[in-house]
Amino acid sequence: MMTAAGEGGAGREIRGCERLQRALSDCHRRMPPGPARESACRHLNRALAECLVSAACPEECEAVRSLCPSAGTALKRSQCQNAQLSLSLCLSSLQLPP
């Protein structure tokens, strides 16, 4: 099971990203620490991050995907900024207090 704080972390459980978490863990086990590991595992790290964000804040994430693919008009940029702010607020609301 996956948590919002990552492997072994405490936090809200996020389902659906377990396969990516296992693949990233396997990549880290196979590769020695350093730039080669970072390069080899980068796509899995990004995919896991996107999966976790999508699972935690699905509506806000979809709004960013649909409103922010390109610069567009001033209105589109404003809508994109608002969508990004909503996503940021959603993710912040899920963080554990220090």
Side-chain angles (χ1 to χ4, degrees):
M1 188 153 326
M2 197 65 210
T3 63
E7 183 179 352
R12 183 173 174 223
E13 292 178 350
I14 304 293
R15 298 181 187 269
C17 302
E18 296 88 356
R19 181 183 58 81
L20 287 167
Q21 181 191 17
R22 283 191 301 274
L24 182 59
S25 293
D26 290 345
C27 186
H28 277 247
R29 271 195 299 278
R30 287 191 312 269
M31 300 292 296
R37 176 197 280 178
E38 291 173 22
S39 179
C41 302
R42 180 176 290 129
H43 69 286
L44 292 169
N45 190 49
R46 180 180 173 114
L48 178 57
E50 288 177 3
C51 181
L52 292 171
V53 170
S54 292
C57 301
E59 292 174 16
E60 294 83 355
C61 193
E62 182 55 35
V64 169
R65 274 195 206 104
S66 65
L67 294 170
C68 301
S70 62
T73 65
L75 175 61
K76 183 100 169 183
R77 288 191 301 273
S78 175
Q79 291 171 331
C80 173
Q81 288 176 336
N82 288 337
Q84 290 172 328
L85 179 59
S86 292
L87 177 58
S88 180
L89 291 172
C90 177
L91 292 172
S92 293
S93 74
L94 298 174
Q95 291 181 341
L96 296 175

